[in-house]
Amino acid sequence: MFNKSTLILIIFCLVNFGAHLGVLDPTLMEARNFITAREMIEDGHIWETTMNGAPRIEKPPFPTWLTALSALVFGRYDNWVMRIPALLMGILMIFWAYQLAIQIFRKHENVKEIAFISAWILSSTVLTIEMSRTGSWDIFYISIATGGFLYLYKGLLKNRMKDYFISGILLGLSFLSKGPAVLAILVAFIIFLWIDLRKQSIPKVSIKKISLLFFVMLSIGAPWFLYNLFFHSELVSNVGSKEAIIWTTKHVKPFYFYLIFPLYMGIWAIPTVIGMIPAFGRRSIDKKYLPLMAWLGINILLMSLMPMKKERYLLSIMVPTALLAGGFLCGISKDVMLRKRVPIISFFPVSIALILAPVGLMLFQESFSIASLEFFGAVLVSFLGIILMRYLLKGKFHHTVYTLG
């Protein structure tokens, strides 16, 4: 499973996610996680989680257990220590997405290239970087669920009991990280599986093995919830009522709010949008276009049905979107028109923006100095933009993609 490509991805993620990990102050969600983790250690409230001494069951405990474990290992409560589990989950998500792409595009002649570029794109999106540096719950459940999807896919292809078993463990831990939200992304992935595998010759689906998967998943994911339901029923009722009010009155956005998701692909936004257009996507991604679009679309639809909407919830669609973008960018080599135009349309504006970074610094920073560290950084960014422009004009696709990452 580990090779040169995965090693490069891991090193890239360590740099991308880990730089200045402890600099920013904790967000509200992080603070709640960090406080609960500290009380787990100091007060021994491991199963019955607390915050400021009061019971807190709004969030499942698995991410907090890992955060507390990190604090125990390092013997301190510094921000960077408490964020290490999130960083590791970000790296695992990239690794599992790479392996999942290998399985999905297994019949493609450039399968390893597609997998690497898809994982490269995923690791450099705005939301992935942000959430891999933030000790909140989202990166945990999405990362672990991605691993669960990988082993479920392998189980269906190879009909091996151990793959179903591992998938059940990972999906159970994902459930223990975010609760019922996992069921929504699991439904979207199951629809993807049905569309992707229905016309392929795969072993007959074993009811026994699928039952094992869900039994293991529920055995791991359900006990904490059931414990609270039976032993803290009044608290569960109060929290449920409060959460129902929050989900219908706070952060309420229009139904179409999540259609902004390409923006969170960052520099990959334009090729992502182009790849989603049937006329272009089908020509490049071929038979994988419809399943990936269904996976992405069902996810967005299910999230859009809820009144409360937050940008970080879009992390759940970053994996299928990255696979779609990676498959599209690798597939354009088969089409002369797309190969010449897509990179220019997608990345020429990015290169111009990078080249003009020092000018922007001079125009918008009040106290400007050529000797400052900020100006030095802007010059480096400008130099990167020049390199990117050069690769674009010479038609060096791979160099362009890796420079952007």
Side-chain angles (χ1 to χ4, degrees), residues 132-382:
S132 298
R133 298 169 55 84
T134 305
S136 61
W137 282 258
D138 296 86
I139 188 64
F140 289 87
Y141 97 95
I142 294 298
S143 174
I144 300 171
T146 303
F149 296 162
L150 165 65
Y151 283 97
L152 174 55
Y153 199 98
K154 291 173 70 174
L156 291 170
L157 290 180
K158 301 177 182 179
N159 199 27
R160 296 188 305 197
M161 182 73 80
K162 71 172 186 177
D163 291 323
Y164 288 99
F165 185 73
I166 295 172
S167 178
I169 292 174
L170 292 172
L171 290 174
L173 291 175
S174 182
F175 195 89
L176 197 57
S177 299
K178 192 70 175 181
V182 178
L183 300 179
I185 62 174
L186 179 58
V187 167
F189 186 71
I190 289 173
I191 293 173
F192 160 79
L193 289 174
W194 177 73
I195 297 174
D196 185 45
L197 300 177
R198 59 179 175 162
K199 294 184 179 180
Q200 298 186 37
S201 55
I202 62 171
K204 185 178 179 180
V205 177
S206 169
I207 300 299
K208 179 181 177 181
K209 292 173 183 176
I210 292 292
S211 299
L212 171 69
L213 185 155
F214 282 101
F215 174 77
V216 173
M217 174 184 169
L218 293 175
S219 297
I220 293 174
W224 184 82
F225 294 92
L226 294 175
Y227 174 86
N228 285 298
L229 183 62
F230 284 111
F231 292 97
H232 301 289
S233 56
E234 185 176 350
L235 179 61
V236 170
S237 178
N238 292 336
V239 169
S241 299
K242 184 180 72 173
E243 289 292 307
I245 294 172
I246 290 174
W247 275 86
T248 54
T249 60
K250 290 189 175 182
H251 304 287
V252 175
K253 302 289 194 306
F255 179 81
Y256 54 82
F257 174 76
Y258 285 130
L259 294 180
I260 64 170
F261 77 91
L263 296 177
Y264 290 89
M265 294 297 291
I267 53 179
W268 310 105
I270 296 176
T272 297
V273 172
I274 296 174
M276 290 173 60
I277 300 172
F280 301 131
R282 286 185 180 276
R283 285 158 61 183
S284 301
I285 313 174
D286 199 19
K287 295 179 181 179
K288 300 300 177 179
Y289 172 79
L290 182 59
L292 288 172
M293 283 296 294
W295 183 6
L296 191 161
I298 296 298
N299 254 316
I300 293 178
L301 175 62
L302 293 176
M303 289 193 299
S304 298
L305 294 175
M306 299 303 299
M308 185 172 78
K309 299 176 178 66
K310 295 181 180 180
E311 289 86 351
R312 60 186 171 88
Y313 294 163
L314 285 169
L315 185 64
S316 66
I317 66 163
M318 287 296 105
V319 172
T321 308
L323 295 177
L324 186 76
F328 172 67
L329 285 174
C330 290
I332 61 175
S333 60
K334 299 182 295 184
D335 190 296
V336 176
M337 186 273 287
L338 292 178
R339 186 174 68 246
K340 289 182 177 179
R341 296 182 182 179
V342 168
I344 294 293
I345 294 171
S346 301
F347 306 128
F348 189 81
V350 177
S351 65
I352 294 295
L354 294 176
I355 291 170
L356 296 177
V359 177
L361 186 68
M362 288 185 284
L363 290 176
F364 297 106
Q365 183 167 315
E366 295 180 3
S367 55
F368 170 75
S369 172
I370 295 180
S372 67
L373 186 62
E374 290 84 358
F375 184 75
F376 177 72
V379 171
L380 288 179
V381 170
S382 181

Side-chain angles (χ1 to χ4, degrees), residues 44-57:
H45 297 158
I46 297 174
W47 188 254
E48 297 190 348
T49 49
T50 64
M51 187 175 74
N52 297 323
R56 173 172 170 78
I57 62 169

